[in-house]
Amino acid sequence: MNAFLSQPECAKETGTWCANVYRLTGNDWIAASADWLVAKPLKILVVLAAALVLRYLLHKLINRVTRLPRENNGKTPALLRPLRERAPGVAGTTLIERRQQRAKTLGSVLRSITSFVIFGIAGLQILAELGINLGPLLASAGVAGVALGFGAQNLVQDFLSGLFMMVEDQYGVGDYVDGGEAEGTVEAVGMRVTTLRDINGTVWYVRNGQIMRIGNYSQSFAVAVVDVPIAYNSDVERASELLGTVAAQVTSEDPVRSEVMEPPEVLGVTAMTPENIQLRLTVKVKPGSQWMVQRALAGKISTALTEAGFERPLPRLFGHQ
């Protein structure tokens, strides 16, 4: 009985958990196990509490910098301000949606990274507190990570490509892009897949990792190009003057006027084929409006050439009837 109630060696050290527990309980087994029963659980709880509080604060900060201001007035979320934005020509709800989706996706990535890092460090500290040797565990995790990386390399490639596309703002919601096999208007940009809708209404889901090159028709400005074929016996100088006159008139009227950024320019002869001579006219316009401007110019130019008596190039190939 005296042996059972004898004071353990650890209780002789003042200020230790063992000594404090033995003083309160008088039980040597509980005092000897105080480190496992009291100290380690308390340390684990402190680590978990600190991890949860830190994660909450960081997530709140990320949500704050990725949220659009209540009074937007063309402002961007704080997270996007240091990053380059390539959509100055986009306006209205499309621009707001573009910024929201970009900020939301980047915020989701940051939240996932912070959660993984915080809980990863907390988990390692808890395992170390439990006396588990972390060396073999980290080595095994490294091997498993390499194997998982090889097995899911396409998925990792998609996510990394999507991240860089978001950071660099290569394209966004509302842009008209040519991604190689798929071309159309961007409806959604995710970390793994970009959604396009082509001119026929077909929705294309394109993996970000499979996009080798991207052509964006909606950044900064666009150029409306109109190639006009005329017959070989036509007066090229007179035709060029007519093109310039018609283009100046069309671009000074609504709805084309609001889309034009610079006056039209007649480049002159750009090609000579067996059938005709080609004259080229270009106009610098707002992104996405080049097709509308081209259609308006082509229609007016065709009518003006006919009224001015210019011969069509086709009779030269097939002969007069």
Side-chain angles (χ1 to χ4, degrees):
M1 189 68 176
N2 292 336
F4 179 75
L5 297 175
S6 61
Q7 184 179 5
E9 290 293 328
C10 63
K12 298 178 181 179
E13 301 177 8
T14 58
T16 62
W17 281 102
C18 179
N20 293 329
V21 171
Y22 184 78
R23 187 176 65 254
L24 293 173
T25 63
N27 189 301
D28 60 341
W29 181 85
I30 296 178
S33 305
D35 192 45
W36 274 95
L37 296 176
V38 181
K40 290 185 182 296
L42 284 177
K43 291 181 180 178
I44 291 173
L45 289 176
V46 169
V47 170
L48 287 176
L52 290 173
V53 171
L54 182 59
R55 176 180 175 272
Y56 170 78
L57 294 176
L58 290 177
H59 280 204
K60 189 174 182 179
L61 176 63
I62 292 171
N63 291 334
R64 184 174 182 179
V65 299
T66 56
R67 187 171 56 245
L68 279 173
R70 292 183 179 179
E71 298 295 333
N72 188 45
N73 295 329
K75 296 181 180 179
T76 58
L79 177 65
L80 301 183
R81 290 172 193 167
L83 304 179
R84 184 177 180 181
E85 190 170 60
R86 303 175 185 264
V90 181
T93 56
T94 301
L95 178 60
I96 295 174
E97 183 182 357
R98 178 191 182 105
R99 287 172 175 171
Q100 281 181 336
Q101 189 170 62
R102 188 181 177 204
K104 181 179 179 181
T105 305
L106 291 177
S108 176
V109 174
L110 291 176
R111 285 192 295 270
S112 299
I113 292 175
T114 53
S115 297
F116 177 79
V117 172
I118 291 172
F119 286 128
I121 295 175
L124 292 177
Q125 290 182 340
I126 291 173
L127 292 176
E129 196 64 38
L130 295 175
I132 298 175
N133 188 2
L134 298 180
L137 185 63
L138 292 176
S140 301
V143 173
V146 172
L148 183 62
F150 276 110
Q153 55 183 334
N154 289 333
L155 185 62
V156 174
Q157 183 182 7
D158 292 341
F159 273 92
L160 290 178
S161 298
L163 177 62
F164 283 110
M165 288 176 183
M166 286 285 181
V167 172
E168 297 171 3
D169 196 24
Q170 296 178 11
Y171 54 82
V173 174
D175 286 353
Y176 190 90
V177 300
D178 180 1
E181 296 182 359
E183 179 178 342
T185 303
V186 178
E187 290 194 339
V189 181
M191 290 300 299
R192 193 180 70 86
V193 173
T194 295
T195 306
L196 305 177
R197 187 179 294 274
D198 65 16
I199 195 172
N200 298 318
T202 304
V203 178
W204 296 85
Y205 298 94
V206 185
R207 286 174 46 200
N208 294 331
Q210 296 299 311
I211 301 177
M212 297 294 102
R213 52 98 175 158
I214 194 79
N216 195 327
Y217 294 90
S218 306
Q219 284 186 355
S220 301
F221 67 90
V223 178
V225 180
V226 181
D227 289 325
V228 181
I230 60 175
Y232 268 90
N233 59 355
S234 300
D235 187 341
V236 175
E237 184 175 351
R238 178 167 167 258
S240 299
E241 292 178 357
L242 181 61
L243 260 64
T245 302
V246 174
Q249 179 183 355
V250 172
T251 55
S252 64
E253 299 174 351
D254 292 329
V256 177
R257 178 174 57 184
S258 60
E259 304 298 328
V260 175
M261 300 176 67
E262 291 183 3
E265 182 180 3
V266 180
L267 302 182
V269 178
T270 57
M272 299 178 65
T273 68
E275 296 84 14
N276 56 57
I277 299 173
Q278 278 194 355
L279 302 180
R280 176 165 293 181
L281 169 72
T282 62
V283 186
K284 186 177 180 180
V285 297
K286 295 179 181 179
S289 63
Q290 60 267 38
W291 298 288
M292 182 271 287
V293 175
Q294 286 173 188
R295 290 192 296 268
L297 287 172
K300 293 290 186 180
I301 289 172
S302 177
T303 303
L305 289 175
T306 302
E307 293 176 350
F310 281 90
E311 182 183 350
R312 298 293 182 180
L314 286 179
R316 181 177 180 82
L317 178 63
F318 296 108
H320 293 281
Q321 295 182 358

